[in-house]
Amino acid sequence: MTEAILLVGGKGTRLRPLTVHTPKPMVPAAGVPFLTHQLARARAAGVEHIVLATSYLAEVFEPYFGDGSALGLHIEYVTETEPLGTGGAIRNVASRLRSGPDEPVLIFNGDILTGLDIRALVSTHEESGADVSLHLTKVTDPRAFGLVPTDDTGRVQAFLEKPQTPEEIVTDQINAGAYVFRRSVIDTIPVGRPVSVERETFPDLLASGAHLQGMVDSTYWLDLGTPQAFVRGSADLVLGRAPSPAIPGRCGDRLVLPTASVAPDAKLTGGTVVGEHAVIGEGARVDGSAILAGAVVEPGAVITDSLIGEGAKVGARTILTGAVIGDGAHVGPDNELREGVRVWCGAELPAGAVRFSSDQ
């Protein structure tokens, strides 16, 4: 297995305002675009040729990654003019593949942070003789996911939609978003229309008698679809809980990029990242958060589990918990913003405008 398709066309709606100006895979996690971590892990598993299936803000990818040579890869780019879904996107890039009909092609979603043993998934695929092999992971509460029960040999038995009742929860195994396809199977996906591999391709293959194999790998796995999950994923990369060969520094409690400025008495903990040219003021405390390039955190601010967008400013003594501050936004001094708040790109919040406690 030497080539892969990476699906990076989604709009990242649940991540807005992070994705207003930046496609989700290009939002920085642990100091580099999240996509960099996926590309580096694929390369470490032996992948040499990757086709990026792009759509939303497609023009951003190639200027950054070029031909992929800096990562030891050959990268090609295919852009959808109309959204085609996961299956349609795979079929849309098939002409760029070089593999023979029976050779394996790795396919993975651009919003999953995982410690998956890619080589083990490929080995499972080859040893089982499957048409498609799927990475499955076990979750404590599977109600938000499609279920994938397997038999004792790992062969997939069904694809079940999100369970609505306790009786419908027949397994804790879910589709984890990474697959190995026999090359010829990709060519059976319909051309030129939206297709979902989860709702159409996989169930149809199963109904036709194709061999779909599941491999349960319950190492680190996180869907980065929400701001809270994205911030957690970035922190876990810095802390070393999630593996990546692409972290631009040593794993630890903090990652400060070279051109950032951090006051000597500022406290950075919990896998906090401080991006290029960002500034952290005196006495500020930042825990488990991502401060993106050019952002400013003024003296005495307290930031927890939050993401501060590029060029944004957080005023003195402001307290943020579970907040997302969009690119270029200014949150004035002495504000308190709590879980789930999203301040849009370029917005300005005056001093002391939002509080959950007295100003005394």
Side-chain angles (χ1 to χ4, degrees):
M1 189 275 305
T2 61
E3 64 181 351
I5 298 170
L6 186 48
L7 304 175
V8 293
K11 290 185 175 181
T13 305
R14 290 183 297 159
L15 273 178
R16 288 170 70 87
L18 298 180
T19 51
V20 170
H21 303 128
T22 308
K24 177 166 52 176
M26 296 299 288
V27 176
V32 295
F34 174 67
L35 179 55
T36 309
H37 298 291
Q38 293 186 305
L39 294 172
R41 294 201 71 242
R43 181 67 191 97
V47 173
E48 299 171 358
H49 176 223
I50 290 188
V51 185
L52 296 187
T54 67
S55 179
Y56 176 66
L57 296 175
E59 67 277 6
V60 171
F61 294 94
E62 189 167 2
Y64 188 92
F65 292 106
D67 63 3
S69 56
L71 292 168
L73 292 164
H74 174 56
I75 298 177
E76 294 187 68
Y77 305 84
V78 177
T79 301
E80 301 166 19
T81 53
E82 297 290 336
L84 293 172
T86 48
I90 293 167
R91 184 67 180 87
N92 191 51
V93 306
S95 63
R96 302 294 184 93
L97 298 174
R98 305 164 182 169
S99 300
D102 291 325
E103 292 182 322
V105 177
L106 175 69
I107 299 172
F108 49 117
N109 292 334
D111 55 1
I112 300 295
L113 178 58
T114 175
L116 167 68
D117 185 337
I118 296 172
R119 291 183 187 272
L121 180 62
V122 176
S123 295
T124 295
H125 178 78
E126 292 175 337
E127 291 166 6
S128 66
D131 296 297
V132 180
S133 297
L134 298 86
H135 171 209
L136 308 179
T137 192
K138 294 178 180 288
V139 294
T140 304
D141 184 359
R143 289 176 297 177
F145 304 95
L147 310 184
V148 187
T150 55
D151 66 15
D152 293 341
T153 69
R155 188 158 181 160
V156 173
Q157 301 295 291
F159 291 91
L160 307 176
E161 286 299 313
K162 297 174 183 177
Q164 303 299 310
T165 65
E167 292 74 26
E168 292 177 320
I169 302 176
V170 298
T171 181
D172 58 357
Q173 296 176 178
I174 67 164
N175 177 355
Y179 322 111
V180 178
F181 273 65
R182 187 191 303 272
R183 169 69 180 85
S184 57
V185 174
I186 294 174
D187 294 330
T188 67
I189 299 173
V191 179
R193 69 168 176 86
V195 180
S196 164
V197 290
E198 301 86 356
R199 294 180 178 85
E200 183 176 344
T201 305
F202 291 155
D204 286 357
L205 284 169
L206 205 59
S208 71
H211 180 176
L212 278 70
Q213 187 75 14
M215 187 195 83
V216 177
D217 182 310
S218 295
T219 54
Y220 186 97
W221 183 87
L222 185 64
D223 177 350
L224 301 184
T226 66
Q228 293 74 23
F230 200 95
V231 170
R232 178 183 154 200
S234 177
D236 285 347
L237 282 162
V238 175
L239 292 166
R241 295 171 180 165
S244 170
I247 297 174
R250 291 184 358 181
C251 292
D253 222 26
R254 54 190 262 175
L255 174 64
V256 179
L257 272 63
T259 58
S261 173
V262 178
D265 65 344
K267 188 175 182 180
L268 309 178
T269 55
T272 286
V273 183
V274 183
E276 298 280 3
H277 303 291
V279 177
I280 308 295
E282 295 176 354
R285 289 182 287 146
V286 187
D287 180 59
S289 299
I291 314 300
L292 300 191
V296 175
V297 176
E298 294 188 336
V302 179
I303 299 174
T304 305
D305 298 337
S306 297
L307 192 147
I308 313 303
E310 291 191 11
K313 180 181 287 188
V314 176
R317 299 171 302 281
T318 280
I319 299 172
L320 305 180
T321 304
V324 177
I325 310 302
D327 297 343
H330 287 188
V331 178
D334 300 307
N335 280 287
E336 294 179 25
L337 304 180
R338 291 188 179 176
E339 284 84 354
V341 69
R342 306 184 191 207
V343 177
W344 230 248
C345 299
E348 296 196 15
L349 202 59
V354 178
R355 300 191 61 85
F356 286 82
S357 63
S358 167
D359 61 347
Q360 301 296 317

